[in-house]
Amino acid sequence: MTQRATVDMWFDPLCPWAWMTSRWLLEVEKVRPLDVRFNVMSLSVLNEGRDELPDSYKELLAKGWGPVRVCIAAAEAAGPAVLRDLYTALGTRIHLQKYDIEDPKLFQEALAEVGLDPSLADAAHTDARDEALRASHNAGMKPVGTDVGTPVIHAPGPTPGETVAFFGPVVTPAPKGEAAGKLWDGVVLVAGTPGFYELKRSRDLGPIFD
């Protein structure tokens, strides 16, 4: 029997592209021997002090502290495994149902859906857990650098015990079935190639949520 590998993904609930990648990874789990663990990064942390950003994006980042703080509070209350279902609960509301990220119902409903106390939603408005948030963020971003965002993935490398970390893939719509598995095979192949850094083209489609 093939031993299952663990793959870590770092997400910010705000990012639609990270959401697409997460849905792809859940498909990959069905056709390849791997298990995905979800971890929190923060676009608000990543972009601190970047005054050159458009005002509209700065406003979004100011609001973006809430979702990641709630995720960290949930992980502290119930263990990091809860992030898998909580991310799905949050992402469904943010990206599919178009909840306002400042709507308290967003957090309360998502927390209740995964069996947690809805009062953890209060974590959105306090910096009490920001040290833990930054630690999670840094653990994900350090191996790939700060000139990328989310999604970030850490996966087993070609050598036993080795880990490869990379940004992406950015894909829409999320492949399903064996198509998801083939994309995974290719991503791991190029990411595990020494000296390989970038493969990119301009996007002509936005996220396709299906």
Side-chain angles (χ1 to χ4, degrees), residues 6-10 139-141 143-144 152-156 163-166 184:
T6 299
V7 172
D8 284 280
M9 176 186 163
W10 272 260
M141 301 306 296
V144 294
V152 163
I153 293 173
H154 296 190
T163 298
V164 293
F166 52 90
W184 174 256

Side-chain angles (χ1 to χ4, degrees), residues 51-68:
D51 295 331
E52 74 279 7
L53 297 173
D55 289 341
S56 59
Y57 193 54
K58 289 180 182 178
E59 292 173 5
L60 179 64
L61 294 174
K63 299 177 182 179
W65 290 95
V68 290

Side-chain angles (χ1 to χ4, degrees), residues 75-178:
E76 290 185 353
V82 78
L83 291 173
R84 179 187 183 97
D85 290 338
L86 182 59
Y87 182 28
T88 291
L90 287 170
T92 297
R93 288 167 173 80
I94 293 170
H95 302 298
L96 305 186
Q97 300 173 1
K98 306 302 181 184
Y99 277 54
D100 188 307
I101 62 172
E102 292 188 304
D103 184 346
K105 291 190 298 183
L106 165 64
F107 305 125
Q108 293 165 359
E109 291 180 5
L111 289 162
E113 183 177 315
V114 300
L116 295 181
D117 186 344
S119 69
L120 287 171
D122 295 341
H125 308 295
T126 173
D127 63 2
R129 297 175 179 84
D130 283 5
E131 183 176 349
L133 169 61
R134 292 177 188 278
S136 178
H137 172 91
N138 291 335
M141 301 306 296
K142 186 176 180 180
V144 294
T146 58
D147 59 343
V148 299
T150 180
V152 163
I153 293 173
H154 296 190
T159 303
E162 179 188 10
T163 298
V164 293
F166 52 90
F167 165 77
V170 175
V171 61
T172 188
K176 294 180 171 59
E178 184 57 22

